[in-house]
C-alpha cells in the first residue's frame, strides 16, 4: 500500500512561505555585507533578483501590489513587519512586529540573520567555518590558551587597527600567534557605511565596543540587541579611518554569533561563579559554551543563546558532539526574553527534537547552582520570580 502523501504534514523546509522568507533574509544579509550602492543597480546580484522575483510572484498570486524594484523591496523590509509580507507562515514562526531591516540604517536585524542562517546554503553567513579553523589550528599546536585568548579578543575587541593586527598576536605571551593569519581574514577594513559623511571618522559604541551605524536622520544605531534595549545610544571612542594604518571591523557573522552572545556568556559565567559553581568557558576548544560544575558534583553543558525567534532556535538545538562529559545539557536564554515573549519556551519546545537540550533562563540556572551549593532551599525553585541580575541593571559599559 502506498503511503498517504496527501495526509503527511509538510516539513518546515517544504513550506513555501518559509522558503520565501529565508530567501529574502539571505539576500538582505548579503546586500548588507556588500559595501556601497553598486548592488542596487542593474543587474542585481543573483540572490537578490531571485528574492525579488519570488516576492513579486507571491504578491501576484495574492492579487497584492508587488515591489517594483530591489530598492522597493529594501523599503518594504525597513517599513513592514514580517507578518505583513505575502508569505504564508506557521503562526508561531514569527514574533509580531519584527522587521528584517532596521528602519534608520537599512541594516539587517538579528531576526533577518536568524532566518538567513536557517537556510541550507547558510555556511557563508555562519561563524562555524572561522571558529572551526581557529579550533583546529589551536588543537594542532596543543595550545588551549590560544583558543581562549581568541574568544576573548572577538568579544572585547570588535575593532582593531592595522597596527593592532601586527602587534597583538605577539603580545600577551604570544597567545594569538598561531592565529595571526586568521585574524587578517576576519578583521576587514571598515565598510563605508560606518563612516560619518564629511567627517571621515567612525564611532564605537560605548557599551559594547562595536562600531555604530550613522542613521538616515543623523543619529547613530548599535546593531546589538543588548544595546538597543537601553534608553539611548552611547557614543564612545571616535576613530579616524587612517588611525594606526587603518580601522578594521570584525566580520558580521562573528560579531553576530560570537561577540554579541559572548558578552552575555561572560556575564553568565561570572554570575554562576558567584553563585557557587566552577565554570569552564569554551572547553575542549569550544566544543560547547561552558561547563558548569555544581557543588553537588553534577556537570552541566551550557550554551547561551539569545535568539529572537524561538521556533528557529528550537530547530537548531542539538547536544554537544564532543567535549568533556556532562550530566545535563541546557540552552540558556535571558529571563528578560521570556518576560517579553511569554510563549518563547513553549514554542522552543514544540520545535525541539527529542534528545536535544532543554531551555532554561539565566535566573533558573543561577538558582539551580545556588540550590546545589545549599545557599537556597530547593522549594524556592517552583515559584521563583523572573529576576534581573545586578549586571543587567548596569547602565554603563558591558565589560
Ligand atoms: Zn553596542
Amino acid at each position: 500500500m502506498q503511503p498517504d502523501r496527501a495526509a503527511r504534514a509538510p516539513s518546515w523546509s517544504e513550506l513555501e512561505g518559509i522558503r520565501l522568507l529565508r530567501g529574502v533574509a539571505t539576500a538582505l544579509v548579503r546586500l548588507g555585507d556588500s559595501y556601497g550602492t553598486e548592488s542596487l543597480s542593474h543587474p542585481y546580484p543573483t540572490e537578490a533578483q531571485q528574492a525579488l522575483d519570488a516576492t513579486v510572484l507571491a504578491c501576484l498570486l495574492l492579487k497584492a501590489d508587488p515591489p517594483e524594484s530591489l530598492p522597493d523591496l529594501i523599503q518594504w523590509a525597513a517599513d513592514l513587519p514580517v507578518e505583513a509580507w505575502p508569505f504564508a507562515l506557521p503562526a508561531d514562526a514569527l514574533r509580531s512586529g519584527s522587521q528584517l531591516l532596521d528602519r534608520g540604517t537599512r541594516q539587517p536585524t538579528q531576526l533577518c540573520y536568524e532566518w538567513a542562517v536557517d537556510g541550507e546554503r547558510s555556511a557563508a553567513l555562519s561563524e562555524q567555518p572561522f571558529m572551526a579553523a581557529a579550533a583546529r589550528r589551536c588543537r594542532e599546536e596543543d595550545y588551549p590558551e590560544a583558543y581562549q585568548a581568541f574568544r576573548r579578543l572577538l568579544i572585547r575587541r570588535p575593532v582593531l587597527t592595522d597596527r593592532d593586527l601586527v602587534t597583538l598576536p605577539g603580545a600577551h605571551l604570544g597567545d594569538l600567534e598561531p592565529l595571526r593569519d586568521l585574524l587578517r581574514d576576519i578583521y576587514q577594513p571598515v565598510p563605508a557605511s560606518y563612516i560619518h559623511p564629511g567627517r571621515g571618522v567612525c564611532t564605537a559604541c560605548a557599551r559594547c565596543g562595536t562600531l555604530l551605524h550613522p542613521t538616515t536622520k543623523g543619529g547613530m544605531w548599535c546593531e546589538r540587541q543588548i544595546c538597543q534595549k537601553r534608553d539611548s545610544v552611547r557614543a564612545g571612542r571616535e576613530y579616524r579611518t587612517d588611525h594606526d594604518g587603518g580601522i578594521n571591523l570584525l566580520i558580521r557573522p562573528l560579531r553576530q554569533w560570537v561577540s554579541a552572545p559572548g558578552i552575555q556568556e561572560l556575564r553568565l559565567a561570572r554570575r554562576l561563579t558567584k553563585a557557587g559553581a566552577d565554570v569552564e568557558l569554551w572547553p575542549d576548544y569550544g566544543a560547547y559554551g561552558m561547563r558548569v560544575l555544581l557543588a553537588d558534583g553534577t556537570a552541566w553543558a551550557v550554551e547561551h543563546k539569545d535568539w529572537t525567534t524561538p521556533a528557529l532556535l528550537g530547530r537548531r538545538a542539538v547536544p554537544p558532539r564532543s567535549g568533556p562529559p556532562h550530566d545535563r545539557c541546557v540552552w540558556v536564554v535571558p529571563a528578560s526574553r521570556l518576560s517579553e515573549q511569554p510563549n518563547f519556551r513553549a514554542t522552543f519546545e514544540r520545535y525541539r527534537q527529542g534528545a536535544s537540550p532543554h531551555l532554561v533562563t539565566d535566573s533558573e540556572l543561577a538558582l539551580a547552582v545556588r540550590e546545589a551549593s545549599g545557599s537556597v532551599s530547593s522549594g524556592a525553585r517552583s515559584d521563583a520570580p523572573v529576576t534581573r541580575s545586578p549586571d543587567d541593571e548596569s547602565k554603563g559599559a558591558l565589560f
Side-chain angles (χ1 to χ4, degrees):
M1 189 178 164
Q2 291 292 317
D4 181 1
R5 289 180 180 277
R8 184 174 65 90
S11 76
W12 179 266
S13 296
E14 290 169 350
L15 295 172
E16 188 60 19
I18 298 287
R19 278 212 294 268
L20 282 167
L21 180 50
R22 275 180 183 158
V24 171
T26 303
L28 292 173
V29 165
R30 291 201 197 280
L31 286 173
D33 282 345
S34 56
Y35 312 134
T37 55
E38 309 94 286
S39 332
L40 300 186
S41 56
H42 283 286
Y44 297 148
T46 307
E47 221 162 20
Q49 183 68 59
Q50 288 171 347
L52 176 62
D53 292 346
T55 307
V56 169
L57 182 60
C59 287
L60 293 178
L61 289 172
L62 293 171
K63 301 191 187 320
D65 291 335
E68 294 180 358
S69 63
L70 186 54
D72 220 12
L73 186 75
I74 290 171
Q75 190 73 40
W76 274 36
D79 288 346
L80 290 181
V82 183
E83 67 266 23
W85 288 60
F87 302 156
L89 296 165
D92 55 5
L94 281 176
R95 182 185 179 192
S96 177
S98 309
Q99 290 180 203
L100 292 172
L101 296 182
D102 171 67
R103 189 165 298 189
T105 60
R106 308 292 170 89
Q107 289 295 314
T109 59
Q110 180 169 332
L111 173 101
C112 191
Y113 267 85
E114 290 174 4
W115 278 97
V117 296
D118 193 60
E120 291 83 356
R121 292 179 296 168
S122 62
L125 308 176
S126 154
E127 80 287 9
Q128 292 292 348
F130 304 101
M131 300 312 292
R136 193 166 52 244
R137 186 83 186 91
C138 297
R139 197 185 291 275
E140 284 167 2
E141 300 272 332
D142 192 20
Y143 200 165
E145 294 85 357
Y147 186 82
Q148 295 283 326
F150 177 67
R151 293 291 293 237
R152 290 181 188 278
L153 180 78
L154 300 193
I155 296 168
R156 296 180 190 278
R157 302 285 302 275
V159 180
L160 292 180
T161 65
D162 273 9
R163 180 186 164 88
D164 290 331
L165 285 171
V166 172
T167 58
L168 262 181
H172 305 298
L173 306 173
D175 280 346
L176 291 166
E177 190 62 47
L179 301 168
R180 184 182 283 275
D181 292 344
L182 181 63
L183 292 182
R184 282 281 176 193
D185 292 338
I186 63 174
Y187 283 90
Q188 296 281 326
V190 62
S193 60
Y194 287 90
I195 301 169
H196 293 274
R199 293 184 58 212
V201 298
C202 40
T203 307
C205 173
R207 293 194 169 100
C208 72
T210 196
L211 294 181
L212 296 169
H213 290 272
T215 69
T216 51
K217 293 187 174 170
M220 286 187 282
W221 179 75
C222 183
E223 67 193 17
R224 296 190 175 168
Q225 280 215 323
I226 197 169
C227 296
Q228 292 164 19
K229 288 177 182 170
R230 310 299 175 107
D231 295 337
S232 60
V233 170
R234 277 188 55 199
R237 180 177 176 182
E238 274 194 354
Y239 297 93
R240 279 194 337 267
T241 50
D242 60 354
H243 179 69
D244 273 354
I247 302 300
N248 302 281
L249 182 61
L250 187 63
I251 56 175
R252 178 77 191 246
L254 292 173
R255 301 201 309 275
Q256 180 72 46
W257 304 121
V258 180
S259 306
I263 292 173
Q264 293 173 304
E265 248 177 342
L266 292 178
R267 286 165 53 174
L268 179 64
R270 285 198 296 271
R271 187 175 174 187
L272 298 179
T273 302
K274 205 182 290 182
D278 191 1
V279 178
E280 181 186 2
L281 280 160
W282 316 300
D284 192 25
Y285 302 96
Y288 53 85
M290 65 182 84
R291 185 171 188 264
V292 180
L293 183 62
L294 279 63
D296 63 5
T298 56
W300 292 32
V302 173
E303 295 274 8
H304 195 291
K305 301 279 182 184
D306 189 13
W307 280 45
T308 64
T309 317
L312 299 182
L313 188 62
R315 279 169 43 73
R316 297 179 82 80
V318 288
R321 295 192 186 92
S322 60
H326 53 271
D327 304 295
R328 200 170 165 200
C329 173
V330 293
W331 279 20
V332 176
V333 295
S336 57
R337 179 68 69 190
L338 267 61
S339 307
E340 294 160 7
Q341 297 175 245
N343 294 329
F344 195 100
R345 195 195 305 262
T347 306
F348 176 92
E349 287 295 330
R350 260 200 303 284
Y351 285 88
R352 188 178 69 85
Q353 299 297 313
S356 51
H358 284 277
L359 194 77
V360 300
T361 69
D362 49 2
S363 298
E364 290 165 348
L365 180 56
L367 182 60
V369 168
R370 290 201 303 276
E371 282 177 8
S373 65
S375 61
V376 64
S377 72
S378 57
R381 172 185 283 277
S382 59
D383 56 356
V386 174
T387 55
R388 291 164 69 86
S389 74
D391 283 344
D392 293 333
E393 304 299 336
S394 164
K395 299 291 182 197
L398 296 169
F399 301 111

